[in-house]
């Protein structure tokens, strides 16, 4: 949030986004993401049908298309009321507080469950899959940094895999020796980054994880006039 205004907003790529809602529990965040996925799928289905159907085919299912559109509009209106979200706007969904869970084997889960030093709310069961809490990330900046670090590691891993495949296909010679040296450097960098992630978050590319969003904030993109009006309103309220 900028300190130049009492309005809660962020800037990305030259655009301003103002805060419209805070989603404050893990269950509410799961529901929000399901709802967003639903309306996006509904819109995409309508767009696809209108693109591929001929005028005659559209006329034949006009009632069905109308019902689909009305259902989408109804859901979109409910999203606007609940979250300030509309398909007509661009948004930033900022993760504020998250919890990272490690996927456990049955043996690991049984051991963790029998360990009195592990709080019961640190263990999570979703269907047949068991998890243990390994890290809580408490701020938006910390979550941005965590996701950036994960992306860097995944890119490094992809680079190592590609280099390893390339080296295996190369004939002996200077070019292969040079590629092997680059592979060694990239693999060492990946190993070091992975060690740092394990130390800081308990996170390793060798395991599977679940990220639970505990709190998030939704920001909608506005034009300059809308931003000035929102800033004035926020200033008057304070």
């Amino acid at each position: 949030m900028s300190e130049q205004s009492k309005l809660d907003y962020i800037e990305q790529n030259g655009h301003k986004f103002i805060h419209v809602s805070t989603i404050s529990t893990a269950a509410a965040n799961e529901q929000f993401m399901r709802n967003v996925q639903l309306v996006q799928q509904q819109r995409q289905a309508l767009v696809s049908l209108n693109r591929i159907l001929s005028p005659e085919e559209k006329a034949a299912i006009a009632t069905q298309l109308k019902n689909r559109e009305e259902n989408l509009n109804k859901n979109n209106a409910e999203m606007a009321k609940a979250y300030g979200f509309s398909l007509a706007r661009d948004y930033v969904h900022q993760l504020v507080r998250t919890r990272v869970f490690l996927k456990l084997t049955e043996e690991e889960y049984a051991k963790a469950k029998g360990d009195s030093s592990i709080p019961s709310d640190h263990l999570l069961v979703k269907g047949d899959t068991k998890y243990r809490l390994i890290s809580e990330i408490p701020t938006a900046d910390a979550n941005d940094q965590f996701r950036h670090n994960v992306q860097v590691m995944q890119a490094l891993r992809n680079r190592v895999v590609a280099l390893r495949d390339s080296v295996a296909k190369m004939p002996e010679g200077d070019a292969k020796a040079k590629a092997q040296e680059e592979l060694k450097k990239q693999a060492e960098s990946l190993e070091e980054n992975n060690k740092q992630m394990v130390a800081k978050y308990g996170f390793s590319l060798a395991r599977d994880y679940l990220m639970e969003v505990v709190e998030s904030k939704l920001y909608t993109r506005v034009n300059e006039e809308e931003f000035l009006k929102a800033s004035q309103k926020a200033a008057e309220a304070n």
Side-chain angles (χ1 to χ4, degrees):
M1 180 177 72
S2 171
E3 295 180 358
Q4 296 178 349
S5 169
K6 296 177 181 178
L7 179 67
D8 185 358
Y9 75 97
I10 57 179
E11 293 189 59
Q12 283 191 5
N13 303 318
H15 301 293
K16 292 184 176 71
F17 298 76
I18 62 172
H19 174 241
V20 290
S21 64
T22 298
I23 307 167
S24 301
T25 68
N29 272 282
E30 284 188 11
Q31 186 62 54
F32 169 72
M33 286 184 273
R34 283 196 298 269
N35 291 344
V36 170
Q37 185 178 37
L38 172 63
V39 293
Q40 288 176 336
Q41 288 173 341
Q42 288 178 324
R43 177 175 63 178
Q44 185 56 49
L46 267 175
V47 169
S48 297
L49 285 171
N50 281 303
R51 185 178 63 248
I52 65 176
L53 294 178
S54 67
E56 294 77 15
E57 289 171 326
K58 289 179 187 177
I61 61 168
T63 300
Q64 180 184 339
L65 289 174
K66 181 181 178 182
N67 290 340
R68 281 175 175 259
E69 185 172 355
E70 288 177 348
N71 193 35
L72 172 59
N73 290 338
K74 174 178 173 289
N75 288 334
N76 195 47
E78 290 176 353
M79 290 287 284
K81 183 178 180 180
Y83 308 109
F85 177 95
S86 169
L87 289 170
R89 293 272 193 172
D90 292 329
Y91 290 85
V92 171
H93 185 212
Q94 184 181 73
L95 305 187
V96 178
R97 290 192 298 123
T98 61
R99 306 205 305 168
V100 182
F101 289 84
L102 171 68
K103 183 179 178 181
L104 301 177
T105 63
E106 289 294 335
E107 182 180 350
E108 288 171 331
Y109 178 73
K111 183 177 180 180
K113 196 171 182 181
D115 188 339
S116 60
S117 68
I118 300 176
S120 59
D121 65 344
H122 283 200
L123 298 175
L124 180 67
V125 178
K126 284 187 172 288
D128 295 329
T129 309
K130 281 87 172 179
Y131 300 90
R132 176 185 172 184
L133 178 69
I134 57 166
S135 185
E136 297 188 63
I137 308 177
T139 68
D141 287 343
N143 272 285
D144 287 345
Q145 186 63 56
F146 172 77
R147 287 188 292 175
H148 172 74
N149 291 344
V150 171
Q151 289 169 358
V152 167
M153 287 179 61
Q154 290 172 335
L156 272 172
R157 178 175 61 183
N158 292 341
R159 174 69 174 155
V160 168
V161 170
L163 277 171
R164 188 174 290 126
D165 289 345
S166 178
V167 167
K169 297 172 184 176
M170 295 175 72
E172 297 298 328
D174 292 343
K176 182 171 184 175
K178 186 176 180 180
Q180 287 174 324
E181 185 62 29
E182 177 64 16
L183 172 59
K184 181 182 177 183
K185 286 169 55 178
Q186 294 292 332
E188 289 173 350
S189 179
L190 175 60
E191 183 179 0
E192 180 57 31
N193 274 273
N194 199 56
K195 285 180 180 178
Q196 291 177 11
M197 290 289 282
V198 170
K200 187 170 184 177
Y201 304 108
F203 179 95
S204 168
L205 285 176
R207 300 292 297 263
D208 292 326
Y209 297 85
L210 170 73
M211 175 174 274
E212 179 184 74
V213 181
V214 179
E215 180 183 348
S216 68
K217 298 173 79 172
L218 191 64
Y219 294 80
T220 184
R221 179 176 162 180
V222 293
N223 58 37
E224 199 61 33
E225 181 181 355
E226 290 171 323
F227 176 75
L228 291 174
K229 285 181 179 179
S231 294
Q232 182 178 2
K233 185 177 180 180
E236 289 171 354
N238 287 286

